[in-house]
Amino acid sequence: MLADRVGVRGYVRNLGGGEVEIFVEGEGADAFVEALRRERPRAIVLEELLVEEAQPRGYKTFEILKSEERSSAPSNIPPDLAICDDCLAEVLHGDERRRFYPFNSCSFCGPRFAVMHKLPYDRENTSWSKYPMCDKCREEYSNPRIGGVRRFFYQGISCRHDGPKIRLLRIDGREIAVEDPIVEAARLIDTGHIVAVKGVGGYHIFADAQRDDVVAELRRRKKRPNQPFAVMALDLDVAKALVELDEKAAELLTSPQRPIVLLPKREDSPVSPLVSPGLDKEGVFLLYTALQYLLLSHTRGKFAIATSGNVHGEPMCTELSCVFSRLGKVVDYVLDHDLEIVHRVDDSVVRFTRGAPVFLRRSRGYAPAWIRIPRGLKKPAVAFGADLQTAGGVAFEDKAVLTQYIGDLDSFDALQGLDRELRWFIEAYKLKDFVLICDLNPAYNSTKLCRSWKEELGAEMYTVQHHHAHALSAAADAGLNEPFVAIAIDGVGYGTDGMAWGGEVLFVEGARFVRERHLTYVPMPGGDLAALRPSRMAATYFHVALGKIPDGLAEALPGGVAELAIVERELKNPRIYTSSAGRFLDAVAVALGIAQERTYEGEPAIKLEAAARGGRLLSLDAEDQVELFTEIVERIGSAPTRDLAYTAQYKLGSILGRWACEVAERRGTKAVAVSGGAAVNDIIMSAVAEEVEGCGFVLKQQRRAPPGDGGIALGQIYYAASME
Ligand SMILES: [Zn+2]
Ligand SMILES: [Zn+2]
């Protein structure tokens, strides 16, 4: 122990939730404080270290004291962390109580938020309350000399004798009597069966990732034709055989947060190409529970598909009844246990953009730890986020607490989930007299929910334009507390003129903004339908840029020639216009033959980025995205597709970056912030960085919250903090 090593005496005491009080005396006191700053287990985040001088009290030893019912500040709710190395070692070689025990965890690892009914984080307030400790666990729990730092006063303490139980079921509910359900589940996966496995924050669907027929069957059953599945690997060595990974990627993969990380596929990867069709990256993560370790270690390949146990568009199942009712036609077996999941917590997803990690989804391992924002709130705030792949949030003082990933709010269950989680956080942090913040779009379900809260509670309600919120999210993320220029590279957000914005350059002064420049408006035939059917946007761009729509495009539309006729009619008399960067990328992806349909959000743009791998920049002189489209399609056939794909994205970034420079110079600001769903695209972001940094401005890219709609709530919260 550190205290013994540096020679100090005193005590450490948990003050509840996130706060710890340490009293030390002796020669080594300064060295102790210094060491605290530098070294600690990877799971511990040191938010603040307050050091006060005190008189020696004559301690003879260093003690771990029981926690007290006293807390000076609201505490950070701990996220769920992956099994630590010490616990894994016990599972492999420990004594009889913890060897092969699927729920092994300690003070530094294991489920937290997912099993928490309410604060404070005490056993009786968690799912562990229904498992009375055995005598040995009780000794470890109550005596620091026996339990050590890992088990003394650890609220989730358990062992084989008192912890949750595992069982294997057929999907019709019949239990399979086997000696080891985990070994049998691994055998079933190896023989091509699809198995639901209860995890920390929900059920995963496990399946063999190597067999094309199994992956194809899973896609058919899940009605998910193209969207990539994540692959869970036993350890770093197994992951190395699937994807290219450097030190930064390895660190992220092995971090206590264990996100899914998108990494370049290896040419010789044994993973079926059907796992992530048309993409150059694989979503890979390492196991994070003892149960997952035991399961994967018994599979042949030591890796498997581990995708969310949901049906298309719905939230993941957290209860066995949901698995039976919703996944009855998807999975064959269920590896179940009886530790209750209180909060649905999906896996987090991270990718690398310009060499550093960016969130596509901030959830397990990260949420609901708060994010400090650069300006304090006068009143607490509740933020409702956006509508797709969204998260909400609550905030007080200078702390923004984003919820875990909620999902798509066109699902009623997801909408209910948002409502429930927001109420839970309000209760947990005892928030009163709060303001409500939501998107400007009146058609959003999150906006409707916000409005119903306003009626129910009589609270003040404010709406924020979507890209203003994106901009403020990036600013809060970067600690920016001064006027700035923002670039939004996005799908679609409701604009103040009622049009569909999404390629914007804004000048932002806190709660006010000026729309300085935007991508050229083009019609958006059918409104939202044009986002779902990218070929409609291709038709639009051909019409606007070249005055003629190629005949072949009718084949790419689900409605064929008839649908094209509808589109053409609307192009003559458009009802809605868009400046969306995402819709431009859709059009290019279709024009280049890279994607025809959109079966998951962002599919054409994601495939366009993948198709540009190894591409070169062609010299074009387009001033806006319509000219860019013209120049790209004029070169189809004469330039390689990957060069055209690369150039379309790079030039889009250059155009927006150059506009941002002009505005920043005119406005006399130093910083340019970038956000939006497509602001994770490596090619676009590299071009933006080149332009903006080339003009001498500082580029702020989002790193702590997702640049996509999962980060909107953070921007809404920063808006509340910026109101006069
Ligand atoms: Zn542990
Ligand atoms: Zn026990």
Side-chain angles (χ1 to χ4, degrees), residues 490-551:
D490 201 24
V492 160
Y494 187 81
T496 51
D497 58 357
M499 296 299 163
W501 297 10
E504 314 296 313
V505 177
L506 312 178
F507 173 65
V508 182
E509 277 180 293
R512 285 189 305 273
F513 79 96
V514 178
R515 189 190 196 197
E516 297 274 3
R517 293 204 70 158
H518 58 84
L519 292 181
T520 304
Y521 269 146
V522 298
M524 194 175 171
D528 288 345
L529 203 53
L532 299 173
R533 298 181 177 178
S535 299
R536 286 188 169 222
M537 286 315 298
T540 299
Y541 270 94
F542 275 112
H543 173 84
V544 174
L546 303 164
K548 185 183 176 337
I549 301 170
D551 295 337

Side-chain angles (χ1 to χ4, degrees), residues 11 124 282 424 429 479 509 566 615 637 646 703 711 721:
Y11 65 84
E124 63 262 31
E282 203 86 78
W424 191 86
Y429 285 114
E509 277 180 293
I566 294 169
Y646 184 86
R703 300 287 181 197

